Amino acid sequence: MAPKRPTGAGAFPKAVETPAPNPPDPASLYAALDLGTNSCRMLIAQPKGSQFHVVDSFSKSVQLGHGLESTGRLSRGSMNRTISAMRICREKLKRHGVKHMRLVATEACRRAQNGSNFIAQVKRETGLTLEIIKPEEEARLAVISCAPLVSVNTEQLLVVDIGGGSTELVWIDLTNVPKRERPRAIMRLHAGFKSDPGPFAAAKVVDWISVPLGVATLRDQFADVEDDAARFALMSWFFEENLEEFSPYAAAQAREGFQIIGTSGTVTTVAASHLGLKRYDRTKVDGLRMTTDQIDTVIRDYLSLGPIGRRADPRIGKDRQALIMSGSAILQALMRLWPTDRLSVADRGLREGLLYAQMSADGVLEDAPF
């Protein structure tokens, strides 16, 4: 008997982190590496039905973009830290025998005067080939990774990816897509924001923007402001000013049928703080819906702690504490602007989008959405 065709939001690829009983066949493994302004992160996964199973992962705060705002260049120390992390990734890829992989770099390498030289250095010293992707592809990959979290009742969708060096926003109109097809229509955007969907109902990308302000770059812009609360307020309003060219910004939007999905370390950290998690648990965070009041309560708590208190708070973590207020400033600005009082939290992003796109292109996922 043919397997029943899955429907609804749960029918799409997501990480399944249960241990495999036997070592996977290297030929079936795929890898995705995301080198951002702050972090180097990699997933190695195996197709599993319409989803994928994560067999290994890596995440390290390398601060590649440290000092980029003032110098326009990647520093020697930042590049050395990153290459050390890339060597670890190379060994993991080698140990698992991974043949299918895509390794990408984003805003820091896009903006740095020596970005291309650094990519060549990575190749020489690790043998790994990084490609610098354009902002539209970065936004598109974040969007398709979040498709499983799209409600069938969503008519207007805003996907927000708060990165280290930039923030991508994508506004999608789903009103002409049948309800049960809405998450699947988001998945079909992997081919491009203006691609021909063929015979399928299409999700319409109204507008998208890549704001060159992320948690690291926004923090660096206001590093000279000593007062913690004043710095936070300035960051939030400055980010809002940079959204003026985003076309839906000034348009009146109906509250009903509107959904915001946020994907980033900031969003997941705020969610973990709201839940009071001393140890991060993806299963409790991914898919969580938070109200504006709950988000504001967490942010007020961060402000009351001050820099010293935030450094000691186990909910935030050492890697995130230096960036959490700039990320929170972006998040608060976004929630202030759009007609909803809820945010869907996504612990997924560029890596998951890269894995999905590779597996989909190779036809190794069951029940592909096209």
Side-chain angles (χ1 to χ4, degrees):
M1 180 183 293
K4 184 179 179 182
R5 180 182 179 88
T7 58
F12 301 100
K14 60 181 179 180
V16 180
E17 301 191 45
T18 52
N22 298 306
D25 176 5
S28 71
L29 294 180
Y30 289 75
L33 185 144
D34 168 18
L35 176 59
T37 302
N38 190 59
S39 301
C40 175
R41 296 176 293 182
M42 183 179 71
L43 288 177
I44 298 174
Q46 182 181 36
K48 188 175 183 181
S50 62
Q51 305 179 4
F52 55 77
H53 165 79
V54 175
V55 300
D56 204 350
S57 63
F58 174 80
S59 181
K60 179 76 173 176
S61 175
V62 294
Q63 300 178 57
L64 178 61
H66 182 70
L68 179 60
E69 282 295 302
S70 58
T71 67
R73 299 177 63 84
L74 303 175
S75 71
R76 186 181 300 275
S78 297
M79 291 190 290
N80 288 341
R81 284 193 300 272
T82 302
I83 287 175
S84 293
M86 295 289 291
R87 287 194 179 106
I88 297 173
C89 293
R90 176 193 62 193
E91 293 309 307
K92 285 178 174 284
L93 292 167
K94 186 177 180 180
R95 183 166 69 247
H96 290 287
V98 181
K99 298 289 189 270
H100 312 285
M101 66 185 79
R102 193 158 180 223
L103 320 176
V104 305
T106 56
E107 185 69 9
C109 290
R110 282 196 295 259
R111 293 179 62 189
Q113 296 169 15
N114 57 342
S116 297
N117 291 339
F118 172 65
I119 298 297
Q121 183 182 350
V122 169
K123 177 68 173 179
R124 286 195 308 271
E125 298 194 23
T126 71
L128 297 178
T129 302
L130 277 169
E131 59 175 306
I132 303 174
I133 61 172
K134 294 181 179 180
E136 179 181 336
E137 184 171 11
E138 184 177 359
R140 190 168 70 241
L141 290 165
V143 166
I144 64 173
S145 75
C146 292
L149 302 181
V150 176
S151 167
V152 294
N153 295 316
T154 295
E155 296 186 347
Q156 301 292 328
L157 174 69
L158 178 66
V159 176
V160 180
D161 181 11
I162 305 173
S166 64
T167 298
E168 280 68 44
L169 293 88
V170 184
W171 189 286
I172 301 168
D173 184 347
L174 293 165
T175 52
N176 292 325
V177 180
K179 283 191 172 185
R180 298 194 73 81
E181 282 294 308
R182 286 172 181 174
R184 196 174 297 278
I186 297 296
M187 280 292 188
R188 285 195 286 271
L189 292 173
H190 81 94
F193 284 158
K194 296 182 180 179
S195 62
D196 181 1
F200 304 102
K204 178 185 177 184
V205 177
V206 178
D207 197 10
W208 72 275
I209 189 172
S210 180
V211 182
L213 291 169
V215 293
T217 46
L218 185 60
R219 175 200 60 187
D220 292 347
Q221 288 263 6
F222 293 91
D224 59 335
V225 181
E226 293 185 5
D227 183 81
D228 196 45
R231 183 170 57 251
F232 174 80
L234 286 168
M235 288 190 296
S236 187
W237 287 109
F238 183 68
F239 182 81
E240 182 177 341
E241 287 179 359
N242 279 268
L243 291 177
E244 289 179 345
E245 295 182 5
F246 190 46
S247 65
Y249 171 82
Q253 301 291 338
R255 175 177 291 268
E256 187 175 350
F258 186 96
Q259 183 182 8
I260 295 181
I261 298 178
T263 171
S264 71
T266 293
V267 175
T268 56
T269 300
V270 168
S273 294
H274 166 65
L275 295 172
L277 301 180
K278 298 291 175 63
R279 183 182 293 274
Y280 186 79
D281 185 343
R282 182 185 186 275
T283 62
K284 294 180 179 177
V285 170
D286 188 50
L288 178 72
R289 300 193 74 188
M290 294 186 66
T291 66
T292 303
D293 287 344
Q294 289 169 337
I295 293 169
D296 286 344
T297 296
V298 172
I299 293 174
R300 284 197 302 271
D301 184 33
Y302 288 163
L303 283 168
S304 67
L305 285 171
I308 295 174
R310 291 194 294 270
R311 280 195 291 270
D313 192 325
R315 302 171 305 167
I316 299 174
K318 293 180 180 179
D319 285 349
R320 183 61 48 181
Q321 57 84 20
L323 303 168
I324 191 59
M325 294 317 297
S326 51
S328 295
I330 294 172
L331 181 58
Q332 190 178 75
L334 294 169
M335 296 306 293
R336 185 167 63 233
L337 293 174
W338 311 114
T340 181
D341 60 358
R342 290 188 180 274
L343 172 79
S344 299
V345 179
D347 184 350
R348 55 187 74 216
L350 195 56
R351 294 175 301 168
E352 287 82 1
L354 286 165
L355 286 172
Y356 171 76
Q358 290 180 86
M359 293 177 184
S360 176
D362 288 352
V364 296
L365 291 174
E366 295 177 9
D367 193 41
F370 44 84

